[in-house]
Amino acid sequence: MKNAIVTGGSSGIGHAICLALADAGYRVVASGRDEARLEALAQGRPDILPLAADLAAGEEACEALVRAAMQRLDGLDLLVNNAGIYVRADAGSTRGEDWRRTMAVNLDAAFYLSRACLPHLRKTRGAIVNIASDWGLKAGRRAAAYCASKGGLVLLTRAMALDHAAEGIRINAVCPGDVDTPMLVKEAVKDGLSHNEALARYGADSPSGRVTRPEEVAALVCYLAAPEAAQITGTAIPIDGGNTA
């Protein structure tokens, strides 16, 4: 059995990734802030191990998460840096605390966790998949901190892929557009939209005519972790219905 750590596993894309990896034969340490949701995810699934953590707490918290995960696993084949937050504001209206927290969760935590996992991944010639965003490839309005953090994550992916390819460690980024998740619903409520209205409006903005499903992102993560993707590293793959085209 292979082993994985997935952050942001309590809902949305992370929830789908945990289930997909477990179904693919992984033992998954699912991390997130919401302990109750993690326990619900792991209910009846001995291959999913919940581990609550607040990655915004910084370097020591990230390293502690990896240490705790490795006490439950007999090795590490995959790290999925999925935890992320979104602040809707342009640069002029972004508070300093929101900027710092966005960077802490979306970029700093991915760096600290990846660094802590490298010794374990060298042993298995494993992989890292970073969940970035299509707004890490192109800008979006009223999302200055989010775009900066996801753009940084894309280039962190590429830099680390170059540095560690000779060690057999593959590092890629997945860049979703709008996905049917609680984060999307939360933003829809701010705009006075219901869930279905949000799916219709955001879907209409996509060439494909719909938003992405979390399970579709999870399937791409599983592929990038598989032996069939052995020659894929340093990429940032959009999964956005054609928006970045």
Side-chain angles (χ1 to χ4, degrees):
M1 178 176 281
K2 290 190 174 184
N3 300 289
I5 298 172
V6 178
T7 66
S10 59
S11 68
I13 293 172
H15 182 278
I17 291 171
C18 289
L19 291 175
L21 288 173
D23 288 343
Y26 281 80
R27 181 184 291 107
V28 181
V29 168
S31 175
R33 289 180 297 165
D34 193 323
E35 189 169 1
R37 284 187 176 181
L38 291 174
E39 293 290 346
L41 169 66
Q43 187 72 33
R45 297 296 305 245
D47 44 7
I48 298 179
L49 311 174
L51 185 57
D54 181 4
L55 301 182
E59 182 176 3
E60 291 185 5
C62 293
E63 292 178 349
L65 169 59
V66 174
R67 287 195 300 270
M70 296 312 300
Q71 289 175 356
R72 303 185 181 192
L73 303 174
D74 56 6
L76 185 64
D77 301 277
L78 175 66
L79 168 66
V80 182
N81 287 308
N82 167 73
I85 60 173
Y86 172 67
V87 175
R88 187 166 70 173
D90 62 20
S93 57
T94 298
R95 299 180 301 172
E97 62 195 78
D98 289 332
W99 173 271
R100 288 187 294 271
R101 183 169 178 83
T102 301
M103 293 300 163
V105 175
N106 294 3
L107 182 56
D108 296 353
F111 168 72
Y112 293 135
L113 290 166
S114 297
R115 187 181 65 183
C117 287
L118 283 173
H120 306 290
L121 294 171
R122 287 190 184 104
K123 296 175 184 178
T124 59
R125 298 176 72 84
I128 298 172
V129 178
N130 295 319
I131 307 302
S133 170
D134 62 344
W135 281 4
L137 302 173
K138 65 181 184 70
R141 291 184 174 86
R142 297 186 64 203
Y146 183 80
C147 291
S149 67
K150 293 299 187 176
L153 185 57
V154 167
L155 281 190
L156 175 64
T157 299
R158 290 175 171 157
M160 289 188 64
L162 291 176
D163 288 339
H164 301 289
E167 298 172 313
I169 300 173
R170 297 183 302 104
I171 305 168
N172 293 287
V174 171
C175 301
D178 289 325
V179 182
D180 186 5
T181 64
M183 183 182 291
L184 180 140
V185 173
K186 182 179 179 180
E187 290 306 309
V189 169
K190 292 179 181 177
D191 291 331
L193 301 174
S194 69
H195 185 189
N196 287 336
E197 289 170 338
L199 294 181
R201 176 180 293 186
Y202 300 149
D205 292 335
S206 171
S208 70
R210 66 173 178 86
V211 303
T212 304
R213 296 187 296 271
E215 294 77 14
E216 292 172 315
V217 181
L220 179 54
V221 171
C222 288
Y223 172 72
L224 290 172
E228 291 80 5
Q231 275 292 88
I232 302 177
T233 193
T235 65
I237 303 177
I239 178 166
D240 62 358
N243 274 335
T244 51

